[in-house]
PDB file of all heavy atoms in Angstrom:
ATOM      1  N   ASN A  34     -34.997 -58.893  29.534  1.00 90.00           N
ATOM      2  CA  ASN A  34     -34.734 -59.909  30.530  1.00 90.00           C
ATOM      3  C   ASN A  34     -33.455 -59.744  31.294  1.00 90.00           C
ATOM      4  O   ASN A  34     -33.083 -60.544  32.137  1.00 90.00           O
ATOM      5  CB  ASN A  34     -34.759 -61.328  29.916  1.00 90.00           C
ATOM      6  CG  ASN A  34     -36.174 -61.669  29.439  1.00 90.00           C
ATOM      7  OD1 ASN A  34     -37.159 -61.404  30.153  1.00 90.00           O
ATOM      8  ND2 ASN A  34     -36.272 -62.320  28.272  1.00 90.00           N
ATOM      9  N   MET A  35     -32.710 -58.693  30.952  1.00 94.00           N
ATOM     10  CA  MET A  35     -31.472 -58.379  31.698  1.00 94.00           C
ATOM     11  C   MET A  35     -31.849 -57.923  33.103  1.00 94.00           C
ATOM     12  O   MET A  35     -32.881 -57.251  33.291  1.00 94.00           O
ATOM     13  CB  MET A  35     -30.758 -57.185  31.052  1.00 94.00           C
ATOM     14  CG  MET A  35     -29.932 -57.489  29.929  1.00 94.00           C
ATOM     15  SD  MET A  35     -29.269 -55.894  29.384  1.00 94.00           S
ATOM     16  CE  MET A  35     -28.336 -56.487  28.003  1.00 94.00           C
ATOM     17  N   SER A  36     -30.963 -58.214  34.058  1.00 96.00           N
ATOM     18  CA  SER A  36     -31.190 -57.647  35.352  1.00 96.00           C
ATOM     19  C   SER A  36     -30.703 -56.164  35.258  1.00 96.00           C
ATOM     20  O   SER A  36     -29.948 -55.784  34.356  1.00 96.00           O
ATOM     21  CB  SER A  36     -30.425 -58.369  36.425  1.00 96.00           C
ATOM     22  OG  SER A  36     -29.038 -58.135  36.336  1.00 96.00           O
ATOM     23  N   GLN A  89     -32.098 -58.077  41.823  1.00 94.00           N
ATOM     24  CA  GLN A  89     -33.191 -58.911  41.335  1.00 94.00           C
ATOM     25  C   GLN A  89     -34.273 -58.070  40.579  1.00 94.00           C
ATOM     26  O   GLN A  89     -35.371 -58.578  40.340  1.00 94.00           O
ATOM     27  CB  GLN A  89     -33.873 -59.673  42.483  1.00 94.00           C
ATOM     28  CG  GLN A  89     -32.960 -60.664  43.232  1.00 94.00           C
ATOM     29  CD  GLN A  89     -32.670 -61.828  42.375  1.00 94.00           C
ATOM     30  OE1 GLN A  89     -31.790 -61.787  41.494  1.00 94.00           O
ATOM     31  NE2 GLN A  89     -33.340 -62.929  42.573  1.00 94.00           N
ATOM     32  N   THR A  90     -33.895 -56.856  40.278  1.00 96.00           N
ATOM     33  CA  THR A  90     -34.769 -56.011  39.487  1.00 96.00           C
ATOM     34  C   THR A  90     -34.462 -56.211  38.014  1.00 96.00           C
ATOM     35  O   THR A  90     -33.250 -56.216  37.671  1.00 96.00           O
ATOM     36  CB  THR A  90     -34.603 -54.532  39.906  1.00 96.00           C
ATOM     37  OG1 THR A  90     -34.857 -54.423  41.294  1.00 96.00           O
ATOM     38  CG2 THR A  90     -35.499 -53.596  39.087  1.00 96.00           C
ATOM     39  N   TYR A  91     -35.443 -56.359  37.154  1.00 95.00           N
ATOM     40  CA  TYR A  91     -35.165 -56.661  35.797  1.00 95.00           C
ATOM     41  C   TYR A  91     -35.606 -55.499  34.892  1.00 95.00           C
ATOM     42  O   TYR A  91     -36.506 -54.757  35.238  1.00 95.00           O
ATOM     43  CB  TYR A  91     -35.784 -58.005  35.392  1.00 95.00           C
ATOM     44  CG  TYR A  91     -35.008 -59.107  35.984  1.00 95.00           C
ATOM     45  CD1 TYR A  91     -35.091 -59.469  37.307  1.00 95.00           C
ATOM     46  CD2 TYR A  91     -34.046 -59.809  35.137  1.00 95.00           C
ATOM     47  CE1 TYR A  91     -34.259 -60.424  37.886  1.00 95.00           C
ATOM     48  CE2 TYR A  91     -33.240 -60.779  35.723  1.00 95.00           C
ATOM     49  CZ  TYR A  91     -33.334 -61.094  37.070  1.00 95.00           C
ATOM     50  OH  TYR A  91     -32.545 -62.031  37.561  1.00 95.00           O
ATOM     51  N   MET A  92     -34.968 -55.393  33.693  1.00 96.00           N
ATOM     52  CA  MET A  92     -35.289 -54.294  32.824  1.00 96.00           C
ATOM     53  C   MET A  92     -36.671 -54.309  32.263  1.00 96.00           C
ATOM     54  O   MET A  92     -37.192 -53.301  31.802  1.00 96.00           O
ATOM     55  CB  MET A  92     -34.220 -54.236  31.658  1.00 96.00           C
ATOM     56  CG  MET A  92     -32.833 -53.844  32.136  1.00 96.00           C
ATOM     57  SD  MET A  92     -32.769 -52.388  33.198  1.00 96.00           S
ATOM     58  CE  MET A  92     -33.182 -51.111  32.052  1.00 96.00           C
ATOM     59  N   ARG A  93     -37.338 -55.462  32.328  1.00 93.00           N
ATOM     60  CA  ARG A  93     -38.735 -55.502  31.933  1.00 93.00           C
ATOM     61  C   ARG A  93     -39.620 -54.639  32.768  1.00 93.00           C
ATOM     62  O   ARG A  93     -40.762 -54.373  32.425  1.00 93.00           O
ATOM     63  CB  ARG A  93     -39.253 -56.939  31.817  1.00 93.00           C
ATOM     64  CG  ARG A  93     -39.137 -57.743  33.088  1.00 93.00           C
ATOM     65  CD  ARG A  93     -39.721 -59.174  32.905  1.00 93.00           C
ATOM     66  NE  ARG A  93     -39.304 -60.000  34.054  1.00 93.00           N
ATOM     67  CZ  ARG A  93     -38.288 -60.815  34.089  1.00 93.00           C
ATOM     68  NH1 ARG A  93     -37.517 -60.926  33.008  1.00 93.00           N
ATOM     69  NH2 ARG A  93     -38.003 -61.510  35.186  1.00 93.00           N
ATOM     70  N   SER A  94     -39.106 -54.187  33.918  1.00 95.00           N
ATOM     71  CA  SER A  94     -39.880 -53.297  34.799  1.00 95.00           C
ATOM     72  C   SER A  94     -39.779 -51.811  34.223  1.00 95.00           C
ATOM     73  O   SER A  94     -40.489 -50.954  34.835  1.00 95.00           O
ATOM     74  CB  SER A  94     -39.299 -53.277  36.171  1.00 95.00           C
ATOM     75  OG  SER A  94     -39.174 -54.580  36.674  1.00 95.00           O
TER      76      SER A  94
ATOM     77  N   GLU B 639     -39.223 -63.733  40.080  1.00 85.00           N
ATOM     78  CA  GLU B 639     -38.535 -62.477  39.805  1.00 85.00           C
ATOM     79  C   GLU B 639     -37.604 -62.600  38.587  1.00 85.00           C
ATOM     80  O   GLU B 639     -37.506 -61.709  37.792  1.00 85.00           O
ATOM     81  CB  GLU B 639     -37.668 -62.064  41.045  1.00 85.00           C
ATOM     82  CG  GLU B 639     -38.480 -61.487  42.147  1.00 85.00           C
ATOM     83  CD  GLU B 639     -37.810 -61.706  43.512  1.00 85.00           C
ATOM     84  OE1 GLU B 639     -36.583 -62.015  43.547  1.00 85.00           O
ATOM     85  OE2 GLU B 639     -38.499 -61.634  44.543  1.00 85.00           O
ATOM     86  N   ILE B 640     -36.933 -63.734  38.471  1.00 88.00           N
ATOM     87  CA  ILE B 640     -35.951 -63.892  37.410  1.00 88.00           C
ATOM     88  C   ILE B 640     -36.619 -64.223  36.101  1.00 88.00           C
ATOM     89  O   ILE B 640     -36.219 -63.670  35.062  1.00 88.00           O
ATOM     90  CB  ILE B 640     -34.904 -64.950  37.822  1.00 88.00           C
ATOM     91  CG1 ILE B 640     -34.162 -64.447  39.049  1.00 88.00           C
ATOM     92  CG2 ILE B 640     -33.978 -65.288  36.676  1.00 88.00           C
ATOM     93  CD1 ILE B 640     -33.181 -65.464  39.640  1.00 88.00           C
TER      94      ILE B 640
END
Side-chain angles (χ1 to χ4, degrees):
Chain A
N34 290 323
M35 276 179 181
S36 74
Q89 296 291 80
T90 302
Y91 285 78
M92 291 312 289
R93 55 180 168 265
S94 310
Chain B
E639 283 153 19
I640 295 173

